[in-house]
Amino acid sequence: MLKGFTVFVVALISTAQVDQYLTHGRYTDAAMAMLRQIGRAFGF
């Protein structure tokens, strides 16, 4: 389970880095804004 979580985190970080390089973080910023709104909806 820890190996799977580690692979997931590395893939997520890699995807964010590629997004920063290719689109100047447009999709990463949108995803973070969406997660922030979901968190507010659940009271986090």
Side-chain angles (χ1 to χ4, degrees):
M1 178 157 166
L2 183 59
K3 182 180 178 183
F5 181 72
T6 304
V7 169
F8 172 73
V9 169
V10 169
L12 191 62
I13 291 171
S14 299
T15 303
Q17 290 298 319
V18 169
D19 178 49
Q20 290 290 328
Y21 179 72
L22 295 177
T23 63
H24 302 290
R26 182 180 349 165
Y27 297 108
T28 303
D29 292 342
M32 293 304 291
M34 183 179 66
L35 289 174
R36 205 169 15 254
Q37 290 297 324
I38 291 171
R40 289 180 184 157
F42 286 105
F44 293 125

